[in-house]
């Protein structure tokens, strides 16, 4: 292992107080089974899994209860054995408090695992391994919850150079990766090695910020023990957001992956340490992703990491860390990028890396917003090399075209700009709002296109109806005469039904056509979008409501 | 109701402005020590005027007066005015210049953050155009505190014995009036306003400003681009002329230490609101100020060129910023 590796810097970044010591004093804890689990079906970027179980069904620990919806999706599983008591919308951990369909499971206390045959991943095609991981529900655990199987394929014409395992964990308070690396280094390393076999990179670099010496030491020992060729632990300087995938790739390789492109096109790929561990568990332990490590920190008596099963109500997890009486707000994620929880009834999901409890003094509301003085400090710290204040001017003026010209969508919403702004402008809120507005407009435009198509179709239908009516009218006299004759001969019934049928068929055909048109329009909407863009739409959607509230609540900006 | 980030670095506009004032302090002290207490009186006058004008305008525009008064930006404008105006300027010049700066150059353009022109330099330009003589008289050596204060508050100012032109002014008038007979060397030797390199005492004031400027750099309130480019633009323009004709053109060192060069480089051109903001833009903007300053000094009718150069370059800022947008992450080759 060379310690002389050349590291690259990235522009900007900030150094907030890491606040990581308190939650790393105790080992990762286990929680007792809660009275019920609320397992959300939609937990990753992409399609919402179809429920595979109905109310009353008995499920076993690790049993698949939601099947991936298409390839851009990932399955979900029962966190324990028990009975399905509901499949219904439940409030989710989501800034807007939107509900999402969840499978509610009452544990039987036995925790009986689901039997499964060992999966001999080495002897099957990589594509089969990827399908297996999709069905094991493995998604990125760094917070982006992107289905991992989609990232595990090298670009056809770009051999993999570097596989980056992200153990930087740069955001304050969060220590789940740190603790996982300390306690499960071997599993992570094996998971990384599996990814290496699937992608065949020249090297596998495990990046860890230098404020986690114990994790780095544990990982080094594990790498040495496993003796994987080309795998190396690289300690990187602590600076938020060094743990951003693009930032870490840049630090380790010097390559900047532009927004909207795939890193595999540059021969690079990046996975979180937790994801590596989950891959190992899935492929070699036969355990799908049903739990993750969650940091509970902030205003709690016992800040700590817990291994939490997906679907555990957040209140239960908080309770284990004993929030102090003066706790006023609950945040999922870190203080830089997290969001306030609308309710503690929401369940832990795969994206939940940290649960923070806070007081007003710990996370104080910002001082009143002042006008931008163009001091440029936001630009100094922007890791995306943007000019945040320009974006702010454009976003505020609803000049979204300009905002996009200035690369609004390259903003990773890291919060560095808001963090330093002396005018205390909630810059990121403006960007979230602007992004969601732009997506909404795109959608409206597509919807308008759809409406135009439907309108044209209606005109055509009206035309056809007119023709049909004329034809019917012409046929009526003849038909009436025939009918009367048949009635006289006593054979009316079947023919009357036959006369009804064409009408029904006509209506059905029209409906089918309308449906087909709708469907023809909808895919067009998303056809041209990359998966990452879809993810962004989803994210923007999520924040839209919140941004709205923000815009409404805020007094008119000063000056 | 606020969203992430939930933690913020301790920062405020007030803190920024107070640091700028703190950085100006060494310059103020040395200035007062060399030229007498007139400058301190000017600072008080300008500050009071600025605060009053700011309060009145905030009230007129229906803005929260407390929050905006406390931001300290009016005080920075006031101090820059006090430091660029003559220390013995009559009180109404300072009051008028400051009021104009705050009311017209700042608030009529929309207040904090909106003014396209540096307010202090607008105040300076207006006053020097209107009252060129009064704006060019610096206290002569040995003028007592009482005499200075007397001059500020209306004592008659008849004689060259109590007032003096600055070195820049003296050099230009000396060179202009005595035509080919005079050279930089003879003018400098014959006039009391000249010191080691430039104006007497100005070297020390420039050094003190430099110290404050380095503090701003260290505090990351400014970046190196503007000061370096401005001083280089000024010095490199002066250099060929001086080399070609040492007799009639002052040295780069003279220009760098004279007048408001260093003050301008670290405190005036760096005004973020009216200046360029991108790294390359800052270089272009500040170099432009340096070059224009030299031309105004060498050929213009006014003693110093920083104010006009700054205002001229202020006009170009939107264009400069637009044309110098730095490449975005991952898009470095493509732009
Ligand atoms: S940090 Fe704030 S005040 Fe400074 S330029 Fe950026 S947005 Fe404007
Ligand atoms: S939130 Fe966006 S604009 Fe602000 S610093 Fe981060 S990437 Fe740059």
């Amino acid at each position: 292992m060379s310690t002389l590796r050349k590291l690259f810097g990235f522009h900007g970044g900030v150094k907030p107080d890491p606040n990581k010591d308190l939650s790393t004093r105790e080992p990762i804890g286990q929680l007792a089974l809660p009275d019920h689990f609320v397992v959300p079906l939609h937990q990753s970027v992409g399609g919402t899994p179809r429920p595979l179980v109905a109310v009353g069904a008995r499920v076993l620990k690790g049993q698949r209860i939601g099947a991936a919806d298409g390839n851009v999706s990932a399955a979900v599983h029962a966190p324990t054995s028990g009975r399905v008591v509901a499949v219904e919308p439940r409030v989710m951990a989501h800034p807007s408090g939107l509900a999402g369909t969840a499978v509610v499971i009452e544990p039987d206390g036995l925790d009986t695992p689901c039997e499964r045959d060992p999966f001999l991943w080495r002897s099957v095609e990589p594509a089969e391994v990827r399908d297996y991981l999709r069905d094991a529900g493995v998604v990125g655990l760094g917070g982006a919850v992107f289905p991992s199987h989609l990232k595990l394929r090298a670009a056809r014409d770009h051999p993999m150079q570097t596989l980056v395992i992200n153990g930087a964990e740069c955001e304050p308070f969060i220590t789940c990766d740190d603790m996982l690396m300390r306690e499960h280094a071997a599993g992570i390393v094996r998971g990384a090695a599996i990814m290496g076999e699937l992608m065949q990179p020249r090297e596998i670099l495990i990046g860890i910020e230098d404020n986690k010496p114990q994790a780095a030491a544990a990982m080094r020992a594990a790498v040495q023990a496993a003796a994987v060729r080309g795998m190396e632990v690289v300690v990187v300087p602590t600076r938020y957001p060094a743990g951003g995938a693009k930032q870490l790739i840049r630090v380790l390789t010097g390559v900047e992956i532009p927004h909207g492109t795939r890193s595999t096109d540059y021969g690079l790929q990046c996975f979180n340490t937790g994801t590596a561990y989950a891959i190992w568990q899935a492929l070699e332990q036969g355990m799908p992703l049903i739990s993750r490590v969650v940091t509970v920190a902030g205003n709690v008596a016992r800040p700590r990491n817990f291994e939490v099963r997906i679907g555990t109500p957040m209140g239960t997890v908080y309770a284990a860390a004993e929030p102090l009486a003066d706790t006023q707000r609950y945040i999922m994620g870190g203080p830089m990028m997290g969001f306030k929880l609308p309710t503690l009834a929401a369940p832990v999901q795969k994206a939940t890396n940290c649960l923070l409890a806070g007081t007003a003094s710990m996370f104080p509301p910002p001082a009143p917003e002042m006008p931008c003085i163009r001091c440029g400090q936001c630009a100094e710290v922007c890791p995306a090399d943007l000019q945040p204040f320009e974006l702010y001017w454009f976003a505020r003026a609803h000049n979204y075209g300009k905002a996009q010209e200035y690369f609004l969508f390259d903003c990773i919403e890291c919060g560095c700009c808001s963090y330093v702004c002396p005018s205390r402008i909630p810059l990121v809120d403006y960007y979230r709002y602007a992004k969601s507005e732009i997506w909404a407009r795109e959608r409206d435009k597509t919807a308008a296109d759809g409406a135009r198509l439907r309108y044209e179709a209606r005109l055509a239908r009206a035309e056809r109806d007119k023709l049909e009516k004329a034809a019917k009218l012409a046929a009526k006299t003849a038909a009436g005469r025939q009918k009367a004759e048949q009635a006289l001969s006593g054979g009316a019934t079947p023919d009357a039904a036959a006369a009804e049928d064409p009408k029904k068929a006509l209506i059905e055909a029209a409906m089918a056509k309308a449906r087909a048109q709708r469907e023809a329009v909808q895919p067009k909407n998303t056809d041209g979008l990359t998966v990452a863009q879809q993810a962004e739409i989803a994210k923007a959607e999520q924040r839209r409501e919140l941004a709205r509230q923000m815009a409404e609540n805020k007094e008119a900006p000063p000056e | 109701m606020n969203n992430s980030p939930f933690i913020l670095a301790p920062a405020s506009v007030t803190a920024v402005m107070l640091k700028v004032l703190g950085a100006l302090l060494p310059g103020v002290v040395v200035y007062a020590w060399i030229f007498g207490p007139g400058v301190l009186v000017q600072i008080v006058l300008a500050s009071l005027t600025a605060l009053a004008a700011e309060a009145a305008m905030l009230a007129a525009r229906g803005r929260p007066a407390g929050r905006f008064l406390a931001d300290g930006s009016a005080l920075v404008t006031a101090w820059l005015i006090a430091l660029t105006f003559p220390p013995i300027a009559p009180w109404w010049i300072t009051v008028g210049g400051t009021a104009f700066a705050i009311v017209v150059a700042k608030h009529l353009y929309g207040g904090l953050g909106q003014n396209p022109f540096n307010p202090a330099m607008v105040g300076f330009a207006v006053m020097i155009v209107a009252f060129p003589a009064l704006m060019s008289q610096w206290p002569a050596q040995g003028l007592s505190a009482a005499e200075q204060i007397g001059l500020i508050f209306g004592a008659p100012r008849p004689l060259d014995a109590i007032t003096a032109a600055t070195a820049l002014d003296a050099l230009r008038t000396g060179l202009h009036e005595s035509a080919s007979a005079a050279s930089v060397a003879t003018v400098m030797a014959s006039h009391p306003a000249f010191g080691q390199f430039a104006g007497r005492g100005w070297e020390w004031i420039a050094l003190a400003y430099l110290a404050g400027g380095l503090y701003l750099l260290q505090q990351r309130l400014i970046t190196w681009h503007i000061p370096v480019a401005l001083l280089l633009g000024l010095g490199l323009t002066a250099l060929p002329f001086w080399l070609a004709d040492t007799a009639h053109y002052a040295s780069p060192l003279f220009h760098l230490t004279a007048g408001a060069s260093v003050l301008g480089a670290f405190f005036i051109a760096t005004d973020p609101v009216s200046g360029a903001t991108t790294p390359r833009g800052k270089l272009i903007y500040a170099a432009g100020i340096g070059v224009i300053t030299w031309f105004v000094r060498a050929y213009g009718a006014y003693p110093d060129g920083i104010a006009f150069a700054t205002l001229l370059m202020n006009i170009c800022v939107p264009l400069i910023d637009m044309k110098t947008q730095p490449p975005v992450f991952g898009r470095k080759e493509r732009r």
Side-chain angles (χ1 to χ4, degrees), chain A residues 378 381-388 391 408 410-418 427-428 431 435:
Chain A
C378 48
V381 299
C382 176
D385 298 86
L386 300 169
Q387 299 280 303
L391 291 176
L408 171 66
D410 286 35
C411 165
I412 58 172
E413 299 181 17
C414 65
C416 289
C417 49
S418 301
L427 294 162
V428 193
Y431 310 148
K435 286 182 184 178

Side-chain angles (χ1 to χ4, degrees), chain A residues 341-426:
Chain A
L341 286 169
T343 158
L344 296 188
V348 165
Q349 43 186 48
K350 294 173 186 177
T352 312
N353 51 2
C354 180
L355 293 175
L356 281 180
T359 59
S361 62
M362 199 175 238
F363 305 124
E369 185 177 335
M370 295 286 281
C372 168
I373 55 172
R374 294 169 59 86
C375 66
Q377 298 200 21
C378 48
E380 290 281 302
V381 299
C382 176
D385 298 86
L386 300 169
Q387 299 280 303
F389 59 94
E390 302 278 14
L391 291 176
Y392 156 72
W393 287 106
F394 295 135
R396 233 189 74 171
H398 302 282
N399 190 345
Y400 297 132
K402 266 285 188 207
Q404 278 177 280
E405 255 176 60
Y406 279 69
F407 302 104
L408 171 66
F409 283 95
D410 286 35
C411 165
I412 58 172
E413 299 181 17
C414 65
C416 289
C417 49
S418 301
Y419 181 77
V420 298
C421 174
S423 289
R424 303 279 79 145
I425 302 170

Side-chain angles (χ1 to χ4, degrees), chain A residues 256 335 374 410 424 432 559, chain B residues 4 6 9 63 110 321 330-331:
Chain A
E256 293 188 359
R374 294 169 59 86
D410 286 35
R424 303 279 79 145
R432 289 179 188 134
E559 299 280 351
Chain B
S4 62
F6 298 104
R63 304 282 157 180
D321 273 356
R331 302 182 190 269

Side-chain angles (χ1 to χ4, degrees), chain B residues 213-238:
Chain B
L214 292 179
Y215 166 75
L216 290 185
L217 270 176
Q218 185 263 335
Q219 291 288 307
R220 295 168 153 270
L221 290 183
I222 60 173
T223 62
W224 59 271
H225 306 81
I226 287 183
V228 168
L230 192 153
L231 296 175
L232 273 183
L234 178 60
L236 292 182
T237 314

Side-chain angles (χ1 to χ4, degrees), chain A residues 88-423:
Chain A
E88 62 186 19
R90 287 294 182 103
V91 65
M92 289 298 151
H94 190 285
S96 60
L98 286 181
T101 309
V103 176
V104 183
I105 295 171
E106 212 173 64
D108 58 14
L110 303 173
D111 214 17
T112 320
C114 174
E115 291 297 328
R116 63 183 72 230
D117 299 333
F119 179 63
L120 304 172
W121 64 272
R122 280 175 205 278
S123 51
V124 300
E125 288 294 307
E128 220 171 300
V129 179
R130 287 195 291 267
D131 288 351
Y132 187 87
L133 288 174
R134 178 194 63 211
D135 294 338
V138 179
V139 300
L141 295 182
V145 286
F146 194 88
S148 299
H149 64 279
L150 296 172
K151 291 172 64 183
L152 275 168
R153 189 190 343 219
R156 209 162 292 139
D157 41 357
H158 292 89
M160 279 292 292
Q161 292 295 313
T162 307
L163 178 64
V164 172
I165 304 297
N166 188 345
E169 199 168 49
C170 57
E171 199 164 345
F173 287 102
I174 308 181
T175 55
C176 56
D177 290 348
D178 185 355
M179 293 310 290
L180 187 76
M181 287 189 284
R182 291 190 202 187
E183 297 187 15
H184 297 284
I188 299 170
V189 166
R190 281 193 213 146
I194 294 172
M195 294 191 231
E197 301 228 0
L198 292 173
M199 303 190 81
Q200 297 295 324
R202 284 220 340 254
E203 53 180 4
I204 303 176
L205 302 181
I206 303 170
I208 303 173
E209 273 192 348
D210 59 11
N211 62 3
K212 292 180 260 301
Q214 282 154 289
M219 291 295 288
R220 281 213 165 105
V223 169
Q224 208 148 34
V228 182
R229 206 171 49 83
M231 192 186 286
E232 187 183 328
V233 172
V234 184
V235 171
V236 303
T238 296
R239 186 156 53 108
Y240 178 84
K246 289 183 178 181
Q247 278 64 40
L248 187 61
I249 287 177
R250 153 100 198 155
V251 168
L252 293 175
T253 68
V255 178
E256 293 188 359
I257 313 286
H259 172 77
T261 62
R262 272 180 315 201
S263 40
T264 45
D265 288 342
Y266 296 77
L268 302 164
Q269 189 57 288
C270 179
F271 290 95
N272 174 263
T273 43
T275 314
Y277 185 68
I279 284 179
W280 173 69
Q281 287 224 310
L283 293 182
E284 294 201 339
Q285 309 287 71
M287 185 47 75
L289 183 53
I290 57 164
S291 70
R292 65 157 300 147
V293 182
V294 178
T295 306
V296 193
N299 197 44
V300 293
R302 299 183 61 196
R304 192 174 179 185
N305 282 277
F306 295 98
E307 182 179 351
V308 181
R309 300 200 199 191
I310 308 300
T312 309
M314 287 179 173
T316 316
V317 187
Y318 271 115
E322 299 161 26
L324 301 180
D326 57 344
T327 299
Q328 284 168 331
R329 53 179 64 179
Y330 297 90
I331 292 165
M332 174 172 141
M336 295 300 285
M337 293 183 77
F339 60 89
K340 248 181 271 172
L341 286 169
T343 158
L344 296 188
V348 165
Q349 43 186 48
K350 294 173 186 177
T352 312
N353 51 2
C354 180
L355 293 175
L356 281 180
T359 59
S361 62
M362 199 175 238
F363 305 124
E369 185 177 335
M370 295 286 281
C372 168
I373 55 172
R374 294 169 59 86
C375 66
Q377 298 200 21
C378 48
E380 290 281 302
V381 299
C382 176
D385 298 86
L386 300 169
Q387 299 280 303
F389 59 94
E390 302 278 14
L391 291 176
Y392 156 72
W393 287 106
F394 295 135
R396 233 189 74 171
H398 302 282
N399 190 345
Y400 297 132
K402 266 285 188 207
Q404 278 177 280
E405 255 176 60
Y406 279 69
F407 302 104
L408 171 66
F409 283 95
D410 286 35
C411 165
I412 58 172
E413 299 181 17
C414 65
C416 289
C417 49
S418 301
Y419 181 77
V420 298
C421 174
S423 289

Side-chain angles (χ1 to χ4, degrees), chain A residues 465-480:
Chain A
D465 288 353
K466 233 178 13 206
L467 290 176
E468 277 170 3
K469 250 184 216 155
K472 264 189 208 155
L473 207 65
K476 209 174 181 178
T477 14

Side-chain angles (χ1 to χ4, degrees), chain B residues 92-104:
Chain B
W92 51 268
I93 288 235
T94 309
V95 169
T98 311
F100 193 87
I102 299 288
V103 173
V104 178

Side-chain angles (χ1 to χ4, degrees), chain B residues 170-335:
Chain B
L171 180 66
R172 203 195 46 253
T173 38
L175 288 174
H176 283 196
E177 280 160 16
S178 30
S180 55
S183 70
V184 171
T186 55
V187 173
M188 281 183 77
S190 68
H191 201 286
F194 295 97
Q196 206 64 29
F197 312 116
R200 185 188 300 278
W202 283 106
E203 312 88 305
W204 300 111
I205 298 173
L207 267 181
Y209 287 145
L210 178 67
L214 292 179
Y215 166 75
L216 290 185
L217 270 176
Q218 185 263 335
Q219 291 288 307
R220 295 168 153 270
L221 290 183
I222 60 173
T223 62
W224 59 271
H225 306 81
I226 287 183
V228 168
L230 192 153
L231 296 175
L232 273 183
L234 178 60
L236 292 182
T237 314
L239 185 65
F241 288 93
W242 176 65
L243 288 178
D245 186 357
T246 1
H248 289 96
Y249 291 100
S251 71
L253 198 55
F254 175 94
H255 276 288
L256 293 181
T257 50
S261 302
V262 178
L263 182 68
F266 286 95
F267 293 92
I268 296 173
T270 51
D271 166 36
V273 175
S274 57
T277 51
T278 66
R280 274 188 307 145
K282 284 178 185 170
L283 293 177
I284 296 170
Y285 164 79
I289 295 179
V291 172
I292 298 172
T293 298
W294 184 86
F295 278 97
V296 178
R297 282 178 180 177
Y299 301 112
Y302 300 107
D304 202 349
I306 289 281
F308 293 106
T310 305
L311 295 177
L312 272 176
M313 290 309 291
N314 283 164
I315 300 175
C316 310
V317 161
L319 184 69
I320 295 177
D321 273 356
M322 201 173 75
K323 295 285 177 201
T324 57
Q325 283 299 308
V328 166
F329 186 93
R331 302 182 190 269
K332 307 229 150 117
E333 303 84 27
R334 280 197 252 155
R335 292 191 82 195

